[in-house]
Amino acid sequence: MRVSNNLVGILNFVTLVLSIPIIASGIWLSKQAGTECERFLDTPVIVLGVFVLLVSIAGLVGSCWRVTWLMWVYLLVMFLLILLIFCFTIFAFVVTNKGAGQALSGKGYKEYRLGDYSNWLRKRVTGNWGKIRSCLMDSKVCHTLLVDATTPATDFYEERISSIQSGCCKPSNDCNFQYVSPTNWTPSATPTSQNPDCAKWSNDVNKLCYDCDSCKAGLLDNIKSDWKRVAEINIVFLVFLVIVYTVGCCAFRNNRDGHSWK
């Protein structure tokens, strides 16, 4: 009759233990952060760790010591968490439904257009581009292309570079620039393309195409892929949470029945 209480207690003890390194990693990030990107991560990690810690304590105490009101709070939080993850999963599939790289004839890489992606994602990226640009530069996304400065044009055109590298580290194919190296291109004497990114390109390693729409589009394609993976993982996580929630309901009923008997 009390198997459900013990099972909920064991599960919450495990999550309680896991919350400690999460909080520790957030504190470590806050101490070690050297860039704005790293500082952005520490607060969410600490908040997540504290949230898991508090929910785990509520579930552990409520199930093992049969504190009915704590179990009620625990189940309420679990229900809201299931609802939140379910809504986020549906939302993630909707906003990542649009957009894909455009294959180029004779090229191993693809190019990306900002207008092809979800309007909601575009607004979030363009509205925070100053910070995102700084993060991209700090992460040295173009470093491998800078190192391969002697790569012949024929070899470069066959490379399968990432969406961010394609959008941020080289000019658009529309510009018809002459290749010198992966991050060094000579503009044509008579520009023929109406693509505004052509005017934004710079051979300066600190500028390149970081201000181009293609760079934003390359990032969006990367976000789209990551969000789809997260949404797929969330489906498995949802099933797990529903099982835990069901067992928690049994433990809550045991607590309530035990108090009624007394």
Side-chain angles (χ1 to χ4, degrees), residues 14-15 42 45 61 74 80-81 131 134 144-145 152-153 157 161 171 192 194-195 205 216 224 239 249 254:
V14 172
T15 55
D42 57 8
V45 170
V61 174
Y74 172 74
L80 294 176
L81 184 60
K131 293 181 179 179
S134 174
T144 55
L145 299 183
Y157 291 143
I161 57 178
T192 56
Q194 300 299 317
N195 190 332
V205 295
K216 299 169 186 174
K224 173 190 168 182
V239 173
C249 288
N254 289 341

Side-chain angles (χ1 to χ4, degrees), residues 14-142:
V14 172
T15 55
L16 175 66
V17 173
L18 290 175
S19 69
I20 296 172
I22 294 174
I23 296 172
S25 63
I27 295 172
W28 181 84
L29 275 175
S30 67
K31 301 294 184 183
Q32 299 294 323
T35 66
E36 190 173 359
C37 303
E38 292 170 337
R39 284 190 292 271
F40 173 76
L41 289 173
D42 57 8
T43 303
V45 170
I46 293 172
V47 170
L48 175 63
V50 172
F51 173 77
V52 173
L53 177 67
L54 294 177
V55 173
S56 300
I57 291 173
L60 184 64
V61 174
S63 60
C64 294
W65 280 270
R66 295 178 173 78
V67 182
T68 305
W69 71 269
L70 265 181
M71 279 302 299
W72 187 88
V73 171
Y74 172 74
L75 290 174
L76 176 63
V77 172
M78 287 290 290
F79 175 77
L80 294 176
L81 184 60
I82 290 171
L83 187 63
L84 179 65
I85 293 176
F86 176 77
C87 292
F88 171 76
T89 302
I90 298 298
F91 177 74
F93 277 118
V94 170
V95 298
T96 58
N97 192 43
K98 291 178 62 179
Q102 299 177 358
L104 302 174
S105 177
K107 305 289 194 303
Y109 51 80
K110 296 180 179 180
E111 290 205 334
Y112 304 86
R113 300 287 182 266
L114 187 59
D116 293 342
Y117 294 88
S118 159
N119 186 53
W120 186 87
L121 281 177
R122 287 205 312 268
K123 286 182 178 178
R124 296 302 174 278
V125 168
T126 54
N128 296 282
W129 188 247
K131 293 181 179 179
I132 295 172
R133 185 185 187 278
S134 174
C135 291
L136 290 174
M137 294 183 67
D138 288 340
S139 62
K140 300 179 180 180
V141 294
C142 300

